[in-house]
Amino acid sequence: MNTTNSIGIVRAQRAQFDTPLVFRSGAVLPRYELVYETYGKLNADKSNAILICHALSGHHHVAGVYADQPKNVGWWDNMVGPGKPIDTDKFFVVGLNNLGGCSGSTGPSSLDPAIGKPYGASFPMITVEDWVESQARLADRLGIKQFAAVIGGSLGGMQALQWSLAYPERVRHVLAIASAPRLTAQNIAFNDVARNAILTDPDFHGGNYYQHNVVPTRGLRLARMLGHITYLSDDAMADKFGRELRSEQLNYGYDVEFQIESYLRYQGDKFAGLFDANTYLLMTKALDYFDPAHDFGGDMNKAFARSKSDYLVVSFTTDWRFSPQRSREIVQTLLHNRRNVSYAEITSTHGHDSFLMEHPHYFDVMRAYLDNVASEVSR
Amino acid sequence: MSKDMNMGQYLVSSAEERPDFAAIAAWIPHGASVLDLGCGDGSLLRYLKETRRVRGYGVEINDVDIVMCIANGVNVIQNDLESGLSDFEDNSFDFVILSQTLQATRHTEALVNEMLRVGREGIVSFPNFGYWKNRVNVLRGHMPVSDELPYQWYDTPNVHLCTLHDFEMFCGRHRVSILDRRVMTGKFEMKLLPNLLGSTAVYRFQRGI
């Protein structure tokens, strides 16, 4: 079996929605666009669709390349494609850019038609629940009544979980990878430091920096650097960088001396050049707000009582941002509610980032599970 | 499958090769909830699912077995039995099964207690160390190696081997009341001199008073 097969050339599509979306916060977005990609063929009874929910910095370009950008490979190309664990020969795979994003779907950097200027700070605070609502409308548009599976890692896993709570009849299987039922105080704290880096950047201008023709690059860069540290494990960093220096000797100054500094600054710069600061703020708040138990007096077991889906929960041993313990909380809640659930704890050195990496056991688990999902749906 | 995985590993071990499966299944009513500890490739759970329509979960630590359980369509939770069953609530299963695993557990007393916390009844199967062939091996001056005990002394996972008498004494001392017992050699049930003639024992038990 060739596991290096790519889906090949793909193209982004756009869906316009003119029915106002009422957010959990009470805010209303009168109209919006979602940009998405699809791979594979929807079968006759439309039962073989899989939705991929992206994490903090993801988007709709999940797999393949664009005709005019042959090097722009989708962010989960190792997992999604012909003969891959999420097999596009068997499934119709949908990836979208979430509302509030900065990769083409309506977000803070989009033009607000009401005022002729970017939404900026006026873009509503968004939650995982709101995303699932907008994704359900996209599913309606595509004629998908029920997903064979909704799959996501990290923040994407939260969306996958929420799907089974908001639309129990519309999702047969949930695959929640390196995720959590809700964030801990420590995790919210990391997000708050990241946000503060952006919010206190003099170029932030209360979120309306577009009109000032500046970007809060320093803040976004710091936010990403901090985030990046938490996505790696201590071991992975030690393996990759150790105390390695960039030049031969110590310079006793504040310029880059250690390789890890060089790496983090590079990652920060790269990200700050591509990503929108307002979107970063929104995404981290969505992470913080997510708590299915909130409306159930804090009782997660009650929150999941309405689920009708089957679940695969996957975690990675060195992931401390979304630790195995958090995944096991999901499993415990599902066991309490007598859902079908399998749980794999993958031994990996790459921390939270493991969920994006090719790992034989992780991929075997995904493939075994999804092969069974495929056998439930007609070709 | 990834290239470095052998497809053969994914074949289900046949239920016919495991006579204790049928003995266990005979005790389990249709639709019961079952937790299988150390479930291996999930073949017992699959067998119980197919023959008894059970609602089942397995617990297993081995990576390859996790994939095989999933491939077998049974629920499996990756965890170390030795660290307890904290994922599972009190009395959340009708049966908690420990099939051919008891002898390989380190914290055997704690685990049997955990089984009876989580389940209404416990079922264990284990190789009978008192089986005559094992005794002959020891009399000849060697540790037994057989179909039931296929390991050499230096590579065996079996740290707590016992005989039928030993297990029954253990139950008596740990407030465990035995409800039923099947002793077998191959496919045949051994009613006469079971501690001598039986190679495999299967017990069903509950919390005693």
Side-chain angles (χ1 to χ4, degrees):
Chain A
M1 192 178 295
N2 188 351
T3 51
T4 59
N5 262 351
S6 167
I7 186 80
I9 290 167
V10 300
R11 67 185 180 85
Q13 291 167 274
R14 202 164 263 288
Q16 174 106 30
F17 297 86
D18 295 318
T19 313
L21 187 69
V22 182
F23 287 58
R24 205 171 147 89
S25 67
V28 179
L29 197 60
R31 66 190 65 80
Y32 57 94
E33 285 186 346
L34 293 177
V35 61
Y36 66 98
E37 291 179 9
T38 70
Y39 323 114
K41 283 203 181 81
L42 189 60
N43 61 5
D45 61 358
K46 300 181 177 184
S47 62
N48 69 332
I50 285 183
L51 177 68
I52 310 277
C53 301
H54 69 73
L56 202 142
S57 59
H59 42 69
H60 55 287
H61 186 37
V62 179
V65 293
Y66 296 130
D68 57 346
Q69 297 170 43
K71 286 189 175 163
N72 186 354
V73 180
W75 60 268
W76 220 6
D77 192 74
N78 56 15
M79 183 69 85
V80 180
K84 293 182 180 176
I86 302 174
D87 191 342
T88 50
D89 289 338
K90 296 171 179 167
F91 294 110
F92 176 69
V93 179
V94 182
L96 82 159
N97 183 216
N98 276 346
L99 205 55
C102 55
S103 302
S105 291
T106 303
S109 54
S110 313
L111 221 56
D112 179 356
I115 54 169
K117 285 191 284 195
Y119 287 93
S122 73
F123 196 89
M125 199 66 93
I126 201 157
T127 64
V128 169
E129 290 88 336
D130 302 326
W131 278 331
V132 168
E133 193 54 41
S134 67
Q135 290 162 1
R137 290 185 181 187
L138 178 63
D140 293 341
R141 188 70 59 88
L142 296 171
I144 299 161
K145 288 201 173 68
Q146 185 190 54
F147 282 106
V150 179
I151 306 176
S154 190
L155 176 56
M158 290 175 164
Q159 294 160 57
L161 293 173
Q162 177 58 27
W163 256 97
S164 65
L165 305 182
Y167 294 103
E169 314 280 354
R170 294 191 74 174
V171 48
R172 292 171 64 88
H173 296 271
V174 169
L175 284 77
I177 305 158
S179 196
R182 55 187 160 193
L183 292 192
T184 57
Q186 187 197 47
N187 221 323
I188 294 170
F190 278 123
N191 284 339
D192 192 46
V193 174
R195 280 193 297 270
N196 264 285
I198 295 168
L199 294 169
T200 57
D201 186 320
D203 286 338
F204 183 63
H205 296 287
N208 295 316
Y209 44 87
Y210 315 100
Q211 283 99 303
H212 295 81
N213 291 316
V214 289
V215 176
T217 312
R218 282 164 290 182
L220 187 53
R221 183 170 173 266
L222 281 175
R224 183 59 173 181
M225 286 167 75
L226 172 70
H228 210 88
I229 296 167
T230 69
Y231 304 149
L232 299 175
S233 69
D234 192 15
D235 285 350
M237 268 203 203
D239 278 358
K240 202 164 172 184
F241 307 105
R243 292 182 53 83
E244 204 178 313
L245 296 172
R246 224 162 68 139
S247 60
E248 301 276 294
Q249 81 280 353
L250 295 171
N251 295 315
Y252 299 100
Y254 294 114
D255 281 340
V256 169
E257 291 198 85
F258 293 95
Q259 284 293 7
I260 180 64
E261 296 174 300
S262 167
Y263 173 79
L264 276 181
R265 289 181 197 200
Y266 169 76
Q267 291 293 335
D269 287 338
K270 193 173 82 170
F271 188 74
L274 293 170
F275 209 77
D276 180 61
N278 278 318
T279 290
Y280 199 88
L281 292 173
L282 286 177
M283 297 277 171
T284 59
K285 284 302 276 188
L287 271 165
D288 294 1
Y289 288 135
F290 184 62
D291 179 6
H294 182 266
D295 295 339
F296 295 87
D299 188 337
M300 198 62 79
N301 289 341
K302 280 190 187 146
F304 274 81
R306 66 203 132 131
S307 165
K308 294 181 172 168
S309 309
D310 293 350
Y311 294 79
L312 175 67
V313 179
V314 177
S315 72
F316 300 90
T317 50
T318 52
D319 184 351
W320 55 281
R321 188 81 197 256
F322 288 80
S323 71
Q325 183 48 40
R326 308 310 317 287
S327 282
R328 288 192 26 193
E329 286 171 32
I330 300 171
V331 171
Q332 285 160 12
T333 291
L334 297 171
L335 286 169
H336 175 88
N337 283 292
R338 305 185 164 207
R339 303 313 317 155
N340 281 320
V341 54
S342 282
Y343 170 62
E345 199 167 299
I346 313 290
T347 303
S348 164
T349 55
H350 292 106
H352 188 52
D353 271 350
S354 300
F355 85 87
L356 294 167
M357 302 201 177
E358 197 160 342
H359 179 294
H361 177 50
Y362 168 36
F363 275 46
D364 282 341
V365 165
M366 293 290 286
R367 189 188 299 278
Y369 193 88
L370 287 165
D371 278 354
N372 284 343
V373 175
S375 67
E376 293 171 4
V377 300
S378 56
R379 283 292 172 97
Chain B
M1 306 299 154
S2 70
K3 279 164 271 173
D4 55 353
M5 279 270 187
N6 175 6
M7 288 295 289
Q9 288 178 316
Y10 290 83
L11 295 174
V12 187
S13 63
S14 155
E16 276 106 63
E17 289 167 25
R18 293 283 303 270
D20 54 328
F21 281 13
I24 292 170
W27 287 330
I28 294 182
H30 275 255
S33 59
V34 171
L35 180 64
D36 184 8
L37 305 176
C39 64
D41 63 8
S43 46
L44 173 59
L45 274 174
R46 184 176 171 159
Y47 179 71
L48 292 175
K49 214 172 128 179
E50 284 164 4
T51 60
R52 289 291 182 274
R53 300 263 146 237
V54 301
R55 184 175 68 79
Y57 299 86
V59 178
E60 180 53 61
I61 193 167
N62 181 274
D63 282 352
V64 174
D65 281 331
I66 295 291
V67 178
M68 291 166 85
C69 283
I70 294 172
N72 270 324
V74 303
N75 297 313
V76 64
I77 310 295
Q78 188 160 26
N79 201 0
D80 182 5
L81 290 183
E82 302 285 359
S83 63
L85 303 177
S86 58
D87 288 336
F88 302 97
E89 297 171 342
D90 295 358
N91 298 312
S92 49
F93 288 91
D94 296 323
F95 296 92
V96 179
I97 300 173
L98 193 62
S99 161
Q100 298 293 342
T101 304
L102 181 80
Q103 76 280 0
T105 61
R106 206 160 279 279
H107 305 103
T108 311
E109 292 174 279
L111 188 57
V112 170
N113 274 326
E114 276 287 86
M115 287 176 74
L116 290 176
R117 174 184 68 79
V118 169
R120 211 163 41 76
E121 289 184 17
I123 293 174
V124 299
S125 71
F126 57 86
N128 173 26
F129 203 79
Y131 180 47
W132 69 270
K133 284 189 183 173
N134 297 335
R135 299 189 196 199
V136 167
N137 269 307
V138 173
L139 277 176
R140 282 182 176 161
H142 291 285
M143 288 299 285
V145 179
S146 63
D147 287 349
E148 286 81 15
L149 297 168
Y151 303 98
Q152 297 293 334
W153 64 272
Y154 48 82
D155 64 7
T156 181
N158 298 330
V159 291
H160 283 148
L161 288 161
C162 66
T163 68
L164 270 60
H165 291 341
D166 293 329
F167 182 74
E168 286 168 22
M169 201 184 286
F170 168 90
C171 291
R173 286 184 184 164
H174 289 82
R175 225 162 48 80
V176 172
S177 101
I178 293 168
L179 300 169
D180 211 342
R181 180 183 81 178
R182 292 270 182 285
V183 185
M184 286 163 341
T185 301
K187 286 178 188 168
F188 304 101
E189 189 168 353
M190 294 291 137
K191 298 214 170 178
L192 188 73
L193 298 173
N195 197 37
L196 186 66
L197 300 180
S199 64
T200 299
V202 196
Y203 283 88
R204 183 174 141 224
F205 54 86
Q206 65 182 19
R207 175 60 68 212
I209 308 144

